[in-house]
Amino acid sequence: RSVYFHGCTFSTSHDYSPVIPTGIGIQSNNANFIVDPLCTSVNQNECTHWQFSQFYNLDYGIKALASSPTKTLRIDRAVFTNNHTGAYLSAVSTPQVTRCTFNVFAVDTSLIKPYGGLYLDYCNGYKIEENNFHGNPSGSRTGCIGLVINNTNLGAYNNAANRIYNNNPFNNFDVGTLAQNKNRSDDGNNNFGLYGLQILCNDYNHNNYDIAITRYSSSDMMGIRNQQGIYGSLPMQPAGNTFSNNNPISRYHNGGGSLNYNCHDQSGSIPIVDPTPLITNITVQPYHNNSYTDSTTCCPSSFTSGSGGGIDEGKAR
């Protein structure tokens, strides 16, 4: 319990290859641990320089498994580069992954084995905020995925209200954010937006698919929360994602149950906040006269207090 890693480096001396195992940086089973930066310079009791933890050229930077609801972890300001999967978390309760950088440089063009930055598998109560996700800027993006969320609304967590918030950017991926299977409550389309996963205030650029929702059955219980954002005039209420402007295949592909996407007024917004026309199975509802002005107003950081009320009064409810 309470194992701390401060400013550590986990790496191998050669690039990751899908046919040559390269090991795991941190592997845990039912353990609590924290990955934090190390303060290396102080001025008047305030840290002026941080040494971030590094994970590179590995099968998994971090692989954390859990079967107890009391086990959790925190990963803050770490850098994951050229790993098959940066961090894989399975059944971990209330994990926090914040202010990290995931560099996912896919190199497998023969086996087409997917590469990923962060994978949340059967997790819940998570905080995934203010991370940077970078894909392959020049080569093939096939199988290159920034973030995967799989099955977060199951069993006792059926009515959980999770969110992916304020990550900037997701760029140069095949899929920026992939939500798989059951990430909404059992009443599916009839929950009036009360429960399930929301994907809010993330920035997407130069991806084939910015956001993709997939499922293994045709049940209406599959997919993400029916209401994404709130249809309202306050700047923090709409979903607040910004989308690719590089002719992507789809800005928002929904293969799950019906989805209502509440966005800012595109007519008065410079970034693309309305994903149409590159959408699938989504009802988009822009709130007129509520334009996206800037990220600090429309998508305030949860690490500092925002103006005009807390985030819980807007997107999180």
Side-chain angles (χ1 to χ4, degrees):
R1 294 181 299 176
S2 301
V3 182
Y4 286 83
F5 299 90
H6 290 281
C8 301
T9 296
F10 301 84
S11 68
T12 59
S13 59
H14 58 85
D15 289 347
Y16 168 79
S17 166
V19 296
I20 303 175
T22 55
I24 299 172
I26 298 173
Q27 180 166 355
S28 70
N29 187 10
N30 271 337
N32 294 345
F33 68 90
I34 292 174
V35 177
D36 268 351
L38 175 68
C39 181
T40 58
S41 180
V42 178
N43 183 15
Q44 296 182 351
N45 297 321
E46 181 178 350
C47 187
T48 57
H49 186 269
W50 297 94
Q51 176 179 310
F52 295 173
S53 290
Q54 304 270 347
F55 300 82
Y56 56 93
N57 296 344
L58 299 163
D59 293 301
Y60 294 90
I62 294 175
K63 187 175 184 180
L65 313 177
S67 59
S68 169
T70 64
K71 305 306 177 186
T72 189
L73 60 87
R74 183 178 76 214
I75 308 168
D76 184 49
R77 288 170 288 179
V79 180
F80 299 82
T81 301
N82 204 33
N83 306 291
H84 174 222
T85 301
Y88 173 80
L89 315 181
S90 178
V92 179
S93 295
T94 63
Q96 297 183 38
V97 182
T98 55
R99 298 179 290 186
C100 294
T101 296
F102 294 89
N103 298 311
V104 187
F105 303 141
V107 295
D108 178 17
T109 57
S110 57
L111 299 177
I112 315 299
K113 187 175 182 180
Y115 286 63
L118 174 61
Y119 195 125
L120 303 181
D121 196 16
Y122 292 82
C123 296
N124 224 290
Y126 41 80
K127 181 177 182 177
I128 311 299
E129 298 185 16
E130 299 193 19
N131 301 288
N132 299 313
F133 293 85
H134 302 288
N136 195 341
S138 56
S140 172
R141 299 176 191 165
T142 302
C144 188
I145 303 172
L147 169 65
V148 180
I149 311 101
N150 183 55
N151 281 329
T152 58
N153 285 78
L154 299 176
Y157 301 105
N158 173 59
N159 290 338
N162 294 305
R163 68 175 186 168
I164 303 298
Y165 181 75
N166 224 7
N167 298 282
N168 174 26
F170 289 88
N171 60 1
N172 297 313
F173 286 103
D174 188 8
V175 182
T177 301
L178 173 61
Q180 299 180 152
N181 304 318
K182 191 175 186 305
N183 299 291
R184 71 194 317 181
S185 54
D186 284 347
D187 48 9
N189 297 335
N190 300 317
N191 62 11
F192 300 105
L194 295 178
Y195 306 116
L197 171 65
Q198 285 191 301
I199 301 172
L200 307 169
C201 281
N202 304 288
D203 295 334
Y204 297 90
N205 191 32
H206 291 282
N207 306 298
N208 293 334
Y209 296 84
D210 288 335
I211 299 172
I213 317 300
T214 62
R215 57 179 171 178
Y216 60 78
S217 81
S218 59
S219 168
D220 283 343
M221 292 184 286
M222 297 292 157
I224 63 175
R225 181 168 164 172
N226 177 271
Q227 296 291 329
Q228 295 291 304
I230 297 173
Y231 185 75
S233 59
L234 298 179
M236 293 191 303
Q237 289 183 316
N241 297 300
T242 65
F243 297 97
S244 293
N245 191 25
N246 60 306
N247 298 317
I249 297 172
S250 178
R251 294 189 179 113
Y252 213 129
H253 174 84
N254 179 33
S258 67
L259 181 63
N260 293 300
Y261 187 79
N262 302 288
C263 66
H264 291 87
D265 185 355
Q266 185 62 63
S267 64
S269 303
I270 295 176
I272 297 177
V273 293
D274 184 336
T276 53
L278 301 176
I279 60 172
T280 307
N281 192 29
I282 298 173
T283 300
V284 177
Q285 301 183 88
Y287 195 95
H288 298 293
N289 299 318
N290 184 4
S291 301
Y292 186 98
T293 53
D294 60 85
S295 60
T296 57
T297 301
C298 300
C299 299
S301 171
S302 66
F303 291 96
T304 59
S305 59
S307 60
I311 293 173
D312 286 344
E313 297 177 18
K315 295 187 174 64
R317 68 183 181 188

